[in-house]
Amino acid sequence: MSEAYTATIGGQQVLILKEGTSRSRGKEAQRSNIMAAKVIAETVKTSLGPMGMDKMLVAGFGDVTITNDGATILKEMDIQHPAAKMMAEVSKTTDSEVGDGTTSVVVLAGKFLEKAEGLLDQNIHSTIIVDGYKLATDKALEFLNEIAIPVKPENREMLRNVAMTTVSTKMISESKELMADIAIDAVLKVAQKTKEGYTVDVDDVKVEKKAGESMNETELIEGLILDKEVVHSGMPKRVQNARIALINSAIEIEKTEFTAKINIEKPEEMKAFLDEEERTLKGMVDKIAASGAKVLICQKGIDDLAQHYLAKRGVLAVRRVSESNMEKLAKATGGKISANLDDLTAQDLGYAKNVEERKIGDDKWVFIEGCKNPLAVSILIRGGTSKVVDEAERSIHDALCVIRDIVQRPYVVAGGGSVEMEVASRLKTWAEKLAGKEQLAAIGFAEALEVIPAALAENAGLDPVNVLVELRAQHGKGETWAGVYAEGGVRDSVKNMAKLGIYEPLVVKEQVIKSASEVASMILRIDDVIAAKSGGMGPPPRGPGGPEGFEAE
Ligand SMILES: Nc1ncnc2c1ncn2[C@@H]1O[C@H](COP(=O)(O)OP(=O)(O)OP(=O)(O)O)[C@@H](O)[C@H]1O
Ligand SMILES: [Mg+2]
């Protein structure tokens, strides 16, 4: 038995941890955690920026995802190492908080840890490094706010700049103008004015996707889309000024739960039985028609015969709509979902200007446009293949989020690594005045920020050292927004990013710096890793022995 899970007390061996538990302590634990986190950072680094590459991820069942989104890459990678998992988590948090910067946060955290490693080598204790990082983070946030540019949320030009910067790093960058405009229109439609400004819930924008056509056919729909067709060919395919009944019970003859037996002896009895069924269905349709509804959206099934009667009455009907879509429809059209047809009245009906079935690829979908509630908007994404529309959906999500970020907190900074360079340069000057070894940590922190412009340069095929030297010189001369001009080639690699219109929301940069520093500090504070034996699911994780499940490049 190893000393990891036993102790000797008074000459007696005492079992403390279960057999199979692995443990590593002190420097060994720290180093392997840092190593694992750095591997993760290196993996996503090549996908940073407009010239970043995409990753193809193949899941256990063979599902393929092609993406450049940091959070998605790390989600799809089957990460085992606990410290590496923390990196994936911080990326996910960044995604849910601000929607963009999920690659930057991981790259930055990796660099913070690399710098810390150098300091650990100089025998500086990790608590001092963590303290220095904390001081530097607070100061960095202060500098960020100092240089941020206030904008008006209604300033469409600026919103466009920000949205285009975000989508220009993605596969959909060829249609960046269209995508930016769609994202802006969608967010401005769902934005709600409050006393303090605006609030936006990006979930109010429904995103539907269908492979086919080209990305340029992506459109904004002022209303909702149901991926269902009109149930009967005899029904109208389009109803204008539609009054809509929302029903969550089946328009069918109820089946009894137990087996019943009916004895039919004469043909007339059989006919009477069938007539009765017909009458019941007809009665149901009559009740719907009596309410004045011209469109029926049903959460359950609609009997064939009932479909026929509905068609005769000129009602457009859709069946088996999901509960969540029913709720969205109720909110959008102002209608009430009824369970009992007897209670259905004209007041329960929703309203939309236009309900129409359209052919989307091989399918027919029903569009409900011009709803009573103007907050209902959808984006219909089109694109060559299912992989393209999936990635387009993720990128549009990023665009919607950055627009929301600015509408809610109207401050921007310029991108292309310029903001990181400026904050780094100010931090270095400030850190020189710090007393104690925290000074070294703070300088390390400042230098780590330069990893963003360095990675942007490297991914654009430029020499990161040359670019950094030039950037430092420019920032030294007071060029706040000097950044990496990825498309410029070797001669023209440093330019004023603000002049080029490459802007990003302040909140994204704040979140990236804050979260990266937090996760790095958390990993640095760990000096003991005790990993339980995994319960019969294959070999136990080797704990801090190194990242498992993937290989470093
Ligand atoms: N045209 C451009 N020239 C130079 N840099 C740019 C340009 N457009 C965007 N960038 C920079 O690219 C970086 C963002 O890259 P990317 O979108 O790949 O990663 P992310 O935003 O950190 O993560 P993700 O988008 O995966 O959540 C930002 O630093 C941004 O300023
Ligand atoms: Mg991005």
Side-chain angles (χ1 to χ4, degrees):
M1 226 176 259
S2 85
E3 64 79 42
Y5 45 86
T6 60
T8 313
I9 300 171
Q12 281 245 309
Q13 273 218 329
V14 183
L15 187 69
I16 297 172
L17 298 170
K18 262 197 196 155
E19 195 155 354
T21 307
S22 67
R23 181 173 186 187
S24 70
R25 282 192 275 192
K27 280 214 170 93
E28 188 203 336
Q30 225 161 25
R31 295 300 163 125
S32 66
N33 279 339
I34 292 177
M35 206 264 280
K38 268 168 49 186
V39 170
I40 294 288
E42 283 300 320
T43 312
V44 296
K45 198 163 120 183
T46 55
S47 61
L48 185 79
M51 303 293 183
M53 305 296 276
D54 296 340
K55 307 265 171 204
M56 180 186 255
L57 300 138
V58 186
F61 295 112
D63 279 354
V64 176
T65 309
I66 300 173
T67 185
N68 142 310
D69 188 71
T72 311
I73 298 171
L74 297 178
K75 192 176 102 209
E76 297 294 330
M77 271 164 72
D78 193 8
I79 298 173
Q80 292 281 323
H81 193 285
K85 275 189 180 157
M86 286 165 69
M87 297 286 270
E89 215 153 282
V90 75
S91 188
K92 197 172 127 200
T93 319
T94 309
D95 193 33
S96 55
E97 288 286 323
V98 293
D100 197 13
T102 66
T103 309
S104 305
V105 70
V106 175
V107 172
L108 196 56
K111 199 68 181 179
F112 284 151
L113 286 167
E114 192 185 312
K115 288 284 173 191
E117 209 175 16
L119 297 168
L120 289 171
D121 286 342
Q122 296 171 43
N123 276 332
I124 298 175
H125 197 272
S126 47
T127 46
I128 298 198
I129 304 175
V130 170
D131 287 349
Y133 277 11
K134 174 84 185 71
L135 289 174
T137 309
D138 292 345
K139 205 68 197 170
L141 294 177
E142 215 179 292
F143 288 142
L144 265 182
N145 279 280
E146 259 175 50
I147 56 177
I149 308 164
V151 294
K152 286 210 170 64
E154 299 84 12
N155 181 344
R156 200 178 168 93
E157 202 43 47
M158 183 52 88
L159 294 180
R160 214 155 176 256
N161 282 334
V162 174
M164 296 226 286
T165 302
T166 294
V167 295
S168 68
T169 64
K170 306 289 176 207
M171 204 195 279
I172 61 172
S173 63
E174 298 142 43
S175 337
K176 62 180 174 189
E177 282 95 0
L178 175 73
M179 297 298 171
D181 282 331
I182 287 179
I184 295 168
D185 288 337
V187 171
L188 292 183
K189 285 241 154 58
V190 300
Q192 278 173 312
K193 207 168 166 68
T194 62
K195 256 186 252 144
E196 290 89 39
Y198 290 93
T199 59
V200 176
D201 183 357
V202 286
D203 290 338
D204 281 341
V205 181
K206 275 59 151 207
V207 179
E208 299 284 345
K209 53 188 174 178
K210 178 84 190 159
E213 303 272 353
S214 84
M215 218 142 32
N216 288 327
E217 307 303 318
T218 299
E219 55 178 333
L220 182 74
I221 308 287
E222 289 189 25
L224 298 178
I225 307 168
L226 297 174
D227 57 348
K228 303 274 172 199
E229 57 183 335
V230 172
V231 287
H232 193 280
S233 57
M235 287 177 178
K237 297 283 180 268
R238 182 171 185 201
V239 177
Q240 281 185 306
N241 290 324
R243 312 200 58 198
I244 306 166
L246 302 166
I247 310 285
N248 67 0
S249 60
I251 318 284
E252 288 169 336
I253 303 289
E254 230 174 286
K255 305 231 169 27
T256 47
E257 286 198 357
F258 44 86
T259 328
K261 202 169 161 189
I262 308 169
N263 279 328
I264 294 175
E265 281 159 7
K266 290 182 236 145
E268 301 87 70
E269 278 176 17
M270 181 68 186
K271 184 162 187 314
F273 179 71
L274 291 177
D275 284 352
E276 183 52 35
E277 272 203 5
E278 219 178 295
R279 247 196 312 278
T280 315
L281 287 169
K282 195 156 185 279
M284 287 172 148
V285 171
D286 285 344
K287 281 176 205 158
I288 294 166
S291 72
K294 279 288 169 208
V295 172
L296 164 68
I297 313 274
C298 185
Q299 193 181 327
K300 304 274 170 56
I302 304 176
D303 189 278
D304 288 353
L305 202 54
Q307 291 177 16
H308 166 75
Y309 288 131
L310 284 164
K312 268 173 96 178
R313 297 262 191 176
V315 176
L316 181 162
V318 183
R319 67 176 165 177
R320 303 201 195 286
V321 173
S322 69
E323 192 178 345
S324 67
N325 273 338
M326 290 298 287
E327 274 156 23
K328 282 176 197 155
L329 278 165
K331 202 170 144 196
T333 64
K336 206 176 116 211
I337 301 174
S338 314
N340 192 342
L341 288 178
D342 291 330
D343 301 341
L344 186 71
T345 65
Q347 280 87 47
D348 299 329
L349 302 181
Y351 173 83
K353 269 200 202 106
N354 188 36
V355 177
E356 186 179 357
E357 182 187 78
R358 280 183 221 155
K359 204 160 174 355
I360 303 294
D362 323 327
D363 293 340
K364 288 173 188 155
W365 285 2
V366 171
F367 290 67
I368 294 136
E369 292 166 304
C371 298
K372 205 174 198 174
N373 183 349
L375 285 188
V377 292
S378 310
I379 295 174
L380 175 59
I381 300 177
R382 305 304 310 271
T385 69
S386 63
K387 303 284 168 273
V388 171
V389 289
D390 286 349
E391 176 67 350
E393 182 186 15
R394 287 187 281 271
S395 312
I396 287 210
H397 168 78
D398 282 18
L400 292 171
C401 287
V402 291
I403 303 290
R404 171 208 55 196
D405 292 343
I406 299 207
V407 168
Q408 291 188 357
R409 185 139 173 261
Y411 287 90
V412 296
V413 291
S418 65
V419 62
E420 287 85 359
M421 238 18 236
E422 181 63 21
V423 172
S425 138
R426 291 183 184 212
L427 275 179
K428 281 182 203 163
T429 320
W430 158 82
E432 275 166 15
K433 292 182 213 109
L434 274 184
K437 287 183 185 158
E438 281 90 351
Q439 186 198 70
L440 300 176
I443 290 176
F445 183 99
E447 286 168 356
L449 287 173
E450 296 177 349
V451 72
I452 301 290
L456 288 172
E458 206 174 329
N459 292 345
L462 303 167
D463 177 7
V465 179
N466 283 344
V467 173
L468 278 188
V469 170
E470 176 65 19
L471 279 173
R472 282 191 204 122
Q474 297 255 359
H475 282 265
K477 279 191 266 172
E479 278 288 334
T480 310
W481 301 128
V484 183
Y485 182 48
E487 290 114 82
V490 183
R491 284 168 178 275
D492 230 355
S493 52
V494 171
K495 277 204 170 181
N496 184 322
M497 292 291 127
K499 281 205 184 120
L500 291 173
I502 299 170
Y503 287 104
E504 293 185 86
L506 168 67
V507 279
V508 171
K509 294 296 166 190
E510 279 182 343
Q511 182 73 28
V512 165
I513 292 183
K514 237 177 0 196
S515 304
S517 150
E518 249 164 41
V519 72
S521 300
M522 198 181 258
I523 290 175
L524 283 173
R525 276 207 205 92
I526 300 167
D527 77 333
D528 202 344
V529 179
I530 304 159
K533 187 181 173 187
S534 68
M537 305 276 290
R542 275 191 294 127
E548 287 185 351
F550 62 90
E551 303 259 323
E553 284 162 89

